[in-house]
Amino acid sequence: VTILWGTVLVAIVWTALGGSALLAAAQKDLSGSERIAWGLSTGLGLQAFLLPLVDRVPLTGPLPLLAAGAILAALGLAAGRGFPPRPALPAIGPAAVLLLLIAAAAFAVAAVAFVSEPMWANDYLAIWGLKGKTIFFSGSIPARLFHDPALEWSHPEYPLGLPLALAALARIAGGWNDHALSLLYPATEAATLLALFGYLRRRAGSTAAAAATLLSAAFFGLYRAFSAGMAEVPAALGFVLSAEAFLDLLEGDTRARRLRAIAATVVLASLKQEGLVWGVILAGALALGTRGRAGRLAAAACFLIPAILPAAIATALRGPLADRDLDATLALPSRLAELARNGATVMAQMWRGEILPLAVPLGALLVFAIATHRCPADRLAPVLAVQLLLYICACAFAMDPAWQEQTALPRIIGALWPAATILIGERLGFSCGSAPPPVQ
Amino acid sequence: LIVVLVCEARTLDRDEWRRRARALPVLVSMPPERARSHESSFGFDRNFAPFLEGVRRATPAGATIALLVPTADTRYLFAAAYVLAPRRIVGTDRLTEADFAAAYRAAAPGRPVSAAIPFGSLGARP
């Protein structure tokens, strides 16, 4: 048992190192902490992509997956001519150190909750874990995961990124231990916090970066025991990284930044359907928001194509599958009144269940928005707003909108909070005058 | 931002966290299938865990198993599908497709299997 905990930890470190090497060419202008985050996200995507391919090799054990990952990592490292030097950043001040210590304590609290027992959430048992365990023990992706009527409750239409990543980690670790595999969750939370701190440190200064990191770390609505085994925690990392790639691309279009946009978006869209939507919105915002700048469509395509690609490949391989929770016929003219009623139900329930109980922090955020200066990360605000609006619309299209709003909506909105703290951190840095000049 | 932070921190269920922190060293030292039966997964019915473990030991990984439970609560189905994976779990409406029938707190149809199944029984297709 202890050995498997150790090997899962080694598998996560290996995954992060492999991802970091693969993405070496894209790491120019990234701080050290950001590189760890990008490494883990890309590495998870890489292992998930490689697992079904190496499963076709008549060799068991972790060796084929390790070898394939090492080859691609070496190729990435060669393409980037090694890791580029890190940019020089100002020292971390005492206030930032204090905030980071509190953030580390909040992270430790969440980490204990994540690994306190084998992953158990309903969606883990019925969707993510079931598929991951089936893939791991079958040595392939069985067609019944998509087409078996006895499994129709397991959302066959969902992307397979997370189940494949779990199965790949188990393959490298040498066994399926769903308690040890929960280590992925503190690891992805740590990566999210490192991505936030590293990015904001170079854009808004270390104190503002530490404050935003703390706001994310202390968000126990997302970082809690129930989230272990679910897609929201890894997706939050994807939202943060793709938002950072978006903001970097708005500031200046480089090959490294485009590569990062592709890497973050393809991994996020492989994890959750919301990732596809997010990528399309970022592409639209980039295309519309950089008017007159040459190459803006090519930059937008760096979000659009990787957002659509995982769903397109899945549809080509297993055929189209409808989401059984949603009723698309509500868009028919004859049912528009019913759709409007559903929308009203969702809004009323949100008002009672989320907005009123959260009136104090929402009011505080409003005051913060009024009191602080505009900043480049404000471009993220409409993206977040459109994503939120589409979530609410999706709830209105649900077979049971009230149930969907109650069980899913707060959870999927919560996964956006770490990305929203980028905006908060940058506004704080710009308003306090601590933002350093942009690193080119 | 301090107001936001305080509101965030208040969402932490400290009693639950303390209970989890105390249980962690004990559960980490257990095999996951045993640890699972102690905590949240089977909070709805602790006896269902040893039943599934018995079925898992008595059936091959490629089997299709019809699950008979005395309730329509989907938590039984989800827990069974996960714990018994990669075995295929079907409902009683697909009994004819199954190699085995696993009945919780009931007698399973089919040829009785001699394996010990706590809190239930297992029948093989005749």
Side-chain angles (χ1 to χ4, degrees), chain A residues 1 4-5 8 111-120 124 175-186 228, chain B residues 20 23-36 39 82:
Chain A
V1 172
L4 264 176
W5 278 84
V8 167
V112 167
F114 279 142
V115 301
S116 60
E117 61 174 310
M119 296 181 278
W120 57 276
Y124 171 77
W176 181 273
N177 178 329
D178 46 22
H179 196 180
L181 282 172
S182 64
L183 283 172
L184 176 64
Y185 286 81
Chain B
R20 288 183 176 280
L24 178 62
V26 180
L27 295 178
V28 163
S29 63
M30 289 181 185
E33 55 272 19
R34 256 189 74 205
R36 179 171 293 286
E39 283 297 320
Y82 176 76

